Amino acid sequence: MGITKNHLSDESIKNIFSRNFPNKKITQIKELTEGMFNAAYSVSFEDGSGSILKVAPPRAEGLMSNEINMMAAEVQAMRIMRDYDFVHIAEVQSYDTSKRLCSSDYLIMERIEGENWLFIKDEMPEEVKNHIYYEIGIIQKKMSEIEGNGFGLLGDDRRFDSLYDFLYMLLQNVLHDVEAKNIGIGVTKQAILERLEKDQMIFDEVKVPTLVHWDMWEGNIFVKNNHVSGVIDWERAMWGEPFMDDRFRQHSRKEAFLKGFGQTDFSENEKRRLAWYDMLLYITMMAEVTYRQYPDGGQYDWAKSLFEGTWKCISE
């Protein structure tokens, strides 16, 4: 179910849509249960159209320190992408923070055509999968041309002049979360941050912050007719370095994606930064298991194994 989910009754959903779309008649409401953060519903109308309703968590329980104003971040990211004429982004149809119709903020956006790639990927021929990875690389490259005024999370007002300061904050936050819940990762907060301080210079190469999705894994990609039709779940978007996105992580990096992005080789400093971004993700995923109260520890075990290998390389 997800500890952060604010589930709504059909009556509440109909009330929200009657206020936002008074001339449309709902024919179907379907809860989307795949995600573990927001409650989400697919709503179909008599005229054949459809929308997605996303409902933010009702309280801070289950949230971690880097999860700041995440629905506001998602709305901002999607609007930025639409302003740059990205065809793979849903239109924001309504965003309400008033709490009048719902105890949480909510977002209504158009429903993207196609299927979630996570559920159909294994049935696809290898050449089709590689082409989709290639297309994602092209999308990521275009995103890297969207520049911000400082490094930071879209949902956070703080901006940092340097990428190092931003990453230091992100790691410090998630390591604080780990300590607060006594989550064993096998390395102390002090050891990790001291090692990061020694690597400060490798981040100085990145001068300009660009838009990063951060979580563009297969479950956030929609596919239609063997092409990318949409990218969803922008709540973790940030102004950072393109290499910070999930598609550059050691467990998910694909040659076809790198070709689409236009970079298949990395300098020693870039490899080192990639490893630090691996660290951030794997620590986050270990902590999520406790904060979200996942029913089993499979994700923790998987992420811890990858974290240990990454830390071994970084700390040598």
Side-chain angles (χ1 to χ4, degrees):
M1 287 184 60
I3 190 174
T4 60
K5 290 192 176 186
N6 185 7
H7 296 278
L8 301 183
S9 66
D10 284 1
E11 181 180 354
S12 296
I13 294 170
K14 289 176 181 178
N15 187 35
I16 287 172
F17 277 90
S18 69
R19 299 292 183 93
N20 286 277
F21 302 102
N23 297 321
K24 288 195 171 189
K25 182 178 179 180
I26 292 176
T27 57
Q28 184 184 47
I29 298 172
K30 179 183 178 182
E31 183 174 7
L32 305 175
T33 59
E34 295 85 4
M36 295 295 292
F37 189 70
N38 297 304
Y41 303 88
S42 177
V43 178
S44 300
F45 302 107
E46 195 173 49
D47 62 6
S49 64
S51 295
I52 300 295
L53 168 66
K54 295 184 73 171
V55 185
R59 53 193 174 273
E61 185 181 4
L63 300 183
M64 296 191 293
S65 299
N66 288 325
E67 296 175 331
I68 303 169
N69 298 324
M70 294 179 75
M71 184 162 283
E74 179 165 25
V75 170
Q76 183 181 351
M78 288 195 295
R79 285 173 172 168
I80 290 171
M81 294 289 283
R82 297 280 295 196
D83 287 344
Y84 278 83
D85 296 324
F86 278 77
V87 298
H88 306 96
I89 311 303
E91 178 186 359
V92 177
Q93 297 172 323
S94 180
Y95 174 49
D96 189 348
T97 62
S98 69
K99 311 293 194 299
R100 288 194 296 267
L101 301 178
C102 174
S103 59
S104 302
D105 297 347
Y106 69 81
L107 158 67
I108 300 175
M109 60 185 180
E110 68 175 330
R111 190 164 60 196
I112 293 176
E113 295 185 359
E115 298 178 81
N116 190 301
W117 192 30
L118 180 66
F119 302 135
I120 62 174
K121 180 172 67 75
D122 292 342
E123 304 169 4
M124 292 180 164
E126 199 66 25
E127 61 269 22
V128 174
K129 287 191 285 188
N130 284 335
H131 184 72
I132 291 171
Y133 282 124
Y134 182 83
E135 290 185 345
I136 297 170
I138 292 174
I139 294 170
Q140 290 267 16
K141 186 62 176 181
K142 287 181 65 179
M143 285 177 59
S144 72
E145 299 170 1
I146 303 176
E147 299 180 359
N149 295 320
F151 296 95
L153 298 167
L154 261 68
D156 189 1
D157 292 333
R158 290 172 294 177
R159 291 292 176 265
F160 299 87
D161 293 331
S162 74
L163 176 59
Y164 169 79
D165 288 341
F166 176 40
L167 180 63
Y168 191 97
M169 183 271 290
L170 293 174
L171 277 168
Q172 187 177 47
N173 280 350
V174 73
L175 289 167
H176 169 78
D177 294 336
V178 165
E179 287 186 338
K181 296 285 188 178
N182 295 314
I183 300 168
I185 66 172
V187 184
T188 67
K189 175 181 177 180
Q190 180 181 356
I192 293 173
L193 295 180
E194 285 181 353
R195 179 65 260 189
L196 179 61
E197 289 172 2
K198 294 178 181 179
D199 278 350
Q200 180 172 353
M201 62 169 289
I202 69 173
F203 298 96
D204 293 341
E205 297 177 347
V206 185
K207 305 295 185 184
V208 180
T210 59
L211 188 62
V212 179
H213 183 286
W214 200 76
D215 197 23
M216 207 178 288
W217 71 298
E218 287 83 350
N220 286 336
I221 303 295
F222 272 64
V223 170
K224 182 180 180 182
N225 298 327
N226 294 334
H227 293 280
V228 176
S229 60
V231 180
I232 64 170
D233 288 355
W234 292 83
E235 60 260 27
R236 298 181 184 274
M238 60 180 64
W239 296 110
E241 178 181 19
F243 298 163
M244 299 175 84
D245 191 80
D246 180 85
R247 292 264 56 93
F248 288 96
R249 302 288 58 80
Q250 60 172 287
H251 69 273
S252 59
R253 200 179 308 152
K254 306 292 185 183
E255 190 72 15
F257 163 78
L258 296 177
K259 288 180 179 178
F261 183 77
Q263 182 173 347
T264 56
D265 295 314
F266 300 92
S267 69
E268 290 305 311
N269 282 353
E270 287 173 335
K271 291 176 182 177
R272 192 79 173 175
R273 294 201 301 274
L274 286 166
W276 275 111
Y277 304 147
D278 286 346
M279 290 274 289
L280 174 63
L281 176 64
Y282 300 143
I283 296 170
T284 300
M285 293 184 74
M286 283 189 282
E288 274 183 346
V289 174
T290 297
Y291 278 81
R292 299 285 195 270
Q293 298 183 13
Y294 287 176
D296 65 72
Q299 176 174 298
Y300 170 87
D301 295 335
W302 177 85
K304 191 170 190 292
S305 176
L306 289 167
F307 165 80
E308 289 172 343
T310 306
W311 174 247
K312 182 177 179 181
C313 292
I314 283 179
S315 59
E316 288 178 346

